Amino acid sequence: MHAALFGQLTIDGLLVGGVYALSALGLNVIFGVMRIVNLAHGEFVIGAALLAAVLFERLHASVLVVLPLAFVLAFGLGALIQRAFLRRLPTDLASAEATSLLMTFGLSYFFVGAWLAFFSGNFRSVPYLTGAWTLGPFSIAQARLLAFVASGIVAALLAMLLRYTALGRAIRATSQNLQGALACGVDVERVRTLSFALGTAIAAASGCLLILIFTVNPETGANVTLASFAVIALGGLGNYAGTLVGAAVIGLAISFTGYFATAQVAQAAPYVLFILVLLLRPAGLLGKSGA
Amino acid sequence: MRRTRLQAIAAGVAGAAFIIALGGPHLTASAADKPIVIGASISETGAYADSGKLALQGYQLWVKQQNAAGGLLGRQIELKTYDDASDPATAVRLYQRLIDQDHVDLIVGPYSSAVTASVANVAQQHHMPMISPEVASTAPFQRGLTEIFQGIQIAAAYVEGPMEIAKEKGYKSIAVTGEDTLFPRSVVAGVDDLAKKMGMTIVFNQLYPHNASDYSSIVEKMKQANPDIVIAASYLPDSVGLLRAMKQANFAPKLLYEGVGPTELSFGTQNGKDAEGVMGTGNWNAELKTQGNAAFVKTFEAEFGHAPDYHAAANFASLEVLGDAVKRVGSLDSAKLRDQLATLTMPTVMGTYKVDPKTGIQQGYKSLVLQWVNGKQFVVYPKALAQRPPSLPFAPWSTR
């Protein structure tokens, strides 16, 4: 294989990984703090994506204008869902994961139906930055680069929030040791609500970028949820830096298997990796083995 | 307590239903005063709700017009439809209910190839002839069934148009791709034979799975094969995805054909100027000079407040055919109707209805090749129906 082709496939893979990374980060914040496996995650991504598409069709609104709007709306929706539903679940850890799984599964079906009623079943996408820049022998898709850069910015902001703010410390404390956080006077209920809201808002932001690259309808949310899970399984549940590594690995796997094998193999590749990592390194690629 | 009350109500309802079922035949009025009931299931919800709705409106418009003109055999017509939510198993149940419980007089086909393939067995078991406007795949017709008739163009004939155009231009090499499901497979199945006949070579042939989201790798492979023309048997989402990936990879063949995706108006809104020059296969067009087409478009818009599409036209045409067959037979005798539907040749808004009497496969309706030129769709093939000549070659991305 010549170097130019290798480079092109690497670029394509990393750029696509950037979009998966953002969606997966949102999912990982929620899991890290709340130990909630949010099966409705893809529906929040798709809801924002369809909102961006409809606003583009009707008002020619730029995706970059819709993104902050969707972020705020989703933040509110996430807080509402946490207060109205998830907070009422039992909090002892053993049963929390199972019951939250069932509840988010139900929520995901509710939102698929709601989006179908609201946006119809039509497939949509937004024709914005559809071209490519040429850099030597490589072509770099503009929308993908934008999504990649925006994902990076949101990831950096999230990292700063977690590291340097009081809320961030509270989130990390809660995710590392619930009892310890409680003992230190952290308002755990508030932290949970804000985390779920934040995770949902990040999902919405990724939806606004995803719609530049993929064509989606309300029933494609499950694919996003699955891909996001594969990413955080690779990177480690609750491990934010690992999420970025996991996304890059998945993007590269899709790109290379898609070229050297078939598109069918490329579609299976993330899940094969997912299973292998669960078997061989259950804590994720960056996690301590055996943890 | 609550439970026993529910049980009592359930028992009461069941009992009442039983009594009505027993007494039903005796209580009904004589057949001549009753409307003729035509039954069908349609995807009113689920992923295909939008197309399903237009298909249903095609049926509804014909029934309304025909009733205004005196009905059929001197009786009014009633359309009885249920929502199958795009699910074949549900549709099978619904057709059984239409035939066994609702005792409809006639049935017509549901929406989509997959649903029709399942429902065809029900029609066969009950010896109810069924004209099906929403089944482009010929697979359901090759199982020896005698009661189903295709009311739309066959999928394998879709690629004839773009390949004829390519041949005329002297293009030689072809890359073939498409979604790996029943309908696109039927479309690409035609390419091999045609290529041999026309002296063209296939340099790339690979399908991608349903729900694929990233097309950059498959496009990169096509680009390396360097074909003159690309034939993609794609629906709307994948035709948009492929086109976008081709632009991003800076790959422009001389002719780009993308199945049924480009026939949807949303292909234009989703791609803007990038849609320019892309070809697709359509089955119908508002400008077509087929019998009654102009009036159909006008009354449809007046009735529903939006334009019809090919689904609406195909469903409307199927009832035109069925109505005509009933008139010719002079009764609702299903055996005679079956023979009539198998041998009838008749002009409709879709073109001339004519099926192979043995299989029921459509032979009369012709596929149209549409091309996006200056932000609008034009029929460019066949020549007799063309609104303008094809605009070729497909412009390289750098010159747009």
Side-chain angles (χ1 to χ4, degrees):
Chain A
M1 173 179 54
H2 43 96
L5 181 61
F6 183 85
Q8 184 65 52
L9 292 174
T10 306
I11 290 170
D12 288 347
L14 288 178
L15 291 186
V16 130
V19 184
Y20 288 129
L22 191 53
S23 161
L25 271 178
L27 191 63
N28 217 353
V29 168
I30 292 171
F31 183 85
V33 174
M34 307 172 73
R35 297 286 180 262
I36 280 181
V37 175
N38 183 15
L39 291 179
H41 190 72
E43 274 60 55
F44 298 128
V45 176
I46 294 300
L50 291 170
L51 178 72
V54 166
L55 290 179
F56 180 85
E57 279 167 27
R58 301 272 162 83
L59 310 171
H60 281 273
S62 160
V63 162
L64 296 178
V65 176
V66 177
L67 194 148
L69 173 77
F71 189 92
V72 172
L73 282 177
F75 193 92
L77 181 67
L80 193 74
I81 288 171
Q82 158 66 11
R83 302 300 270 191
F85 300 109
L86 296 171
R87 193 172 59 139
R88 295 168 200 279
L89 294 176
T91 47
D92 61 296
L93 279 181
S95 69
E97 289 189 20
T99 47
S100 71
L101 200 71
L102 290 175
M103 179 166 277
T104 58
F105 189 54
L107 283 172
S108 106
Y109 270 81
F110 169 78
F111 280 109
V112 169
W115 299 158
L116 274 171
F118 199 67
F119 297 111
S120 87
N122 280 348
F123 279 90
R124 290 189 155 93
S125 63
V126 173
Y128 179 66
L129 290 181
T130 55
W133 284 298
T134 311
L135 192 78
F138 307 122
S139 65
I140 297 170
Q142 295 170 4
R144 285 173 192 233
L145 187 64
L146 172 73
F148 183 82
V149 170
S151 290
I153 292 173
V154 174
L157 287 175
L158 178 68
M160 280 159 66
L161 175 90
L162 290 174
R163 194 164 194 91
Y164 298 114
T165 67
L167 173 65
R169 277 192 294 275
I171 288 178
R172 281 188 292 141
T174 312
S175 80
Q176 278 159 18
N177 190 332
L178 180 63
Q179 297 307 326
L182 275 170
C184 296
V186 172
D187 182 350
V188 170
E189 269 314 316
R190 187 169 156 272
V191 168
R192 285 166 168 267
T193 303
L194 289 175
S195 307
F196 196 82
L198 186 65
T200 309
I202 292 173
S206 80
C208 292
L209 298 167
L210 185 104
I211 194 75
L212 296 178
I213 299 171
F214 299 147
T215 303
V216 302
N217 87 341
E219 294 180 328
T220 49
N223 299 339
V224 178
T225 307
L226 270 177
S228 305
F229 266 112
V231 165
I232 60 175
L234 249 60
L237 290 167
N239 183 338
Y240 306 118
T243 303
L244 300 182
V245 176
V249 171
I250 293 241
L252 290 170
I254 291 173
S255 174
F256 278 85
T257 53
Y259 188 90
F260 291 105
T262 63
Q264 281 81 346
V265 176
Q267 205 172 33
Y271 309 111
V272 172
L273 281 172
F274 177 48
I275 292 166
L276 285 179
V277 168
L278 286 184
L279 287 175
L280 302 175
R281 289 187 70 87
L285 292 175
L286 298 192
K288 298 178 200 82
S289 58
Chain B
M1 183 66 201
R2 203 161 143 206
R3 181 150 204 170
T4 42
R5 218 166 96 199
L6 264 180
Q7 279 170 339
I9 293 170
V13 170
F18 184 64
I19 291 164
I20 291 167
L22 277 180
H26 309 291
L27 298 172
T28 48
S30 72
D33 307 328
K34 278 197 319 174
I36 294 176
V37 183
I38 304 177
S41 83
I42 285 284
S43 309
E44 288 177 82
T45 56
Y48 303 116
D50 292 321
S51 307
K53 195 173 80 187
L54 280 150
L56 175 61
Q57 288 172 341
Y59 280 156
Q60 287 168 336
L61 182 66
W62 182 85
V63 169
K64 188 174 177 187
Q65 281 184 358
Q66 196 65 25
N67 279 337
L72 258 184
L73 308 176
R75 293 161 65 181
Q76 287 288 292
I77 307 158
E78 188 191 318
L79 184 64
K80 190 165 188 66
T81 57
Y82 294 113
D83 173 19
D84 59 36
S86 319
D87 175 40
T90 307
V92 164
R93 238 179 16 249
L94 292 174
Y95 273 83
Q96 255 152 7
R97 174 169 163 186
L98 284 163
I99 295 169
D100 293 338
Q101 292 174 31
D102 301 338
H103 301 290
V104 297
D105 300 294
L106 303 165
I107 54 171
V108 282
Y111 184 82
S112 93
S113 289
V115 176
T116 308
S118 304
V119 166
N121 300 324
V122 182
Q124 185 70 25
Q125 282 159 15
H126 293 83
H127 300 290
M128 297 276 282
M130 180 173 82
I131 175 164
S132 293
E134 302 290 351
V135 51
S137 164
T138 53
F141 298 90
Q142 286 160 343
R143 305 194 303 232
L145 303 180
T146 54
E147 304 286 342
I148 56 164
F149 304 94
Q150 195 171 30
I152 201 156
Q153 290 84 340
I154 63 174
Y158 279 32
V159 290
E160 276 176 28
M163 293 194 48
E164 282 289 346
I165 295 170
K167 189 186 160 199
E168 249 178 53
K169 290 276 171 190
Y171 302 156
K172 290 279 182 232
S173 53
I174 312 170
V176 187
T177 188
E179 190 186 278
D180 198 358
T181 53
L182 182 62
F183 165 69
R185 271 175 174 279
S186 324
V187 173
V188 300
V191 180
D192 261 331
D193 287 342
L194 273 174
K196 273 189 206 115
K197 269 187 219 156
M198 296 181 176
M200 297 197 243
T201 48
I202 294 173
V203 294
F204 175 88
N205 189 349
Q206 225 171 65
L207 302 178
Y208 47 82
H210 178 60
N211 279 339
S213 50
D214 185 18
Y215 300 90
S216 49
S217 296
I218 201 159
V219 162
E220 193 63 43
K221 268 197 279 192
M222 272 198 267
K223 186 181 174 184
Q224 305 280 337
N226 193 25
D228 289 335
I229 77 173
V230 168
I231 295 209
S234 43
Y235 291 100
L236 182 65
D238 39 339
S239 58
V240 174
L242 279 169
L243 180 65
R244 208 160 280 182
M246 285 166 81
K247 183 178 180 185
Q248 286 165 354
N250 194 22
F251 167 49
K254 292 179 187 139
L255 185 154
L256 174 59
Y257 169 85
E258 293 204 290
V260 297
T263 61
E264 307 215 22
L265 292 176
S266 162
F267 186 83
T269 40
Q270 292 197 38
N271 291 306
K273 283 180 186 151
D274 298 343
E276 206 62 18
V278 181
M279 291 182 179
T281 294
N283 295 319
W284 175 86
N285 177 286
E287 314 286 331
L288 267 190
K289 302 281 178 271
T290 47
Q291 179 160 315
N293 199 33
F296 163 70
V297 174
K298 212 173 131 194
T299 48
F300 191 97
E301 279 174 357
E303 179 74 22
F304 301 111
H306 57 87
D309 71 343
Y310 79 89
H311 300 296
N315 284 49
F316 184 88
S318 287
L319 282 183
E320 283 186 279
V321 173
L322 182 63
D324 194 68
V326 168
K327 272 186 225 157
R328 286 173 193 235
V329 169
S331 75
L332 299 172
D333 184 292
S334 34
K336 286 182 186 156
L337 268 179
R338 196 219 83 82
D339 293 344
Q340 196 59 245
L341 286 171
T343 51
L344 189 68
T345 301
M346 166 190 182
T348 73
V349 294
M350 289 289 281
T352 303
Y353 169 90
K354 185 185 181 315
V355 296
D356 171 21
K358 278 217 177 85
T359 57
I361 290 174
Q362 183 59 234
Q363 294 176 326
Y365 296 166
K366 296 285 174 238
S367 294
L368 312 170
V369 178
L370 304 172
Q371 187 178 30
W372 283 86
V373 181
N374 297 326
K376 281 171 87 174
Q377 298 168 318
F378 291 91
V379 176
V380 295
Y381 183 92
K383 278 184 184 150
L385 300 169
Q387 293 159 340
R388 55 165 297 151
S391 163
L392 290 167
F394 186 75
W397 297 108
S398 54
T399 64
R400 292 177 175 233

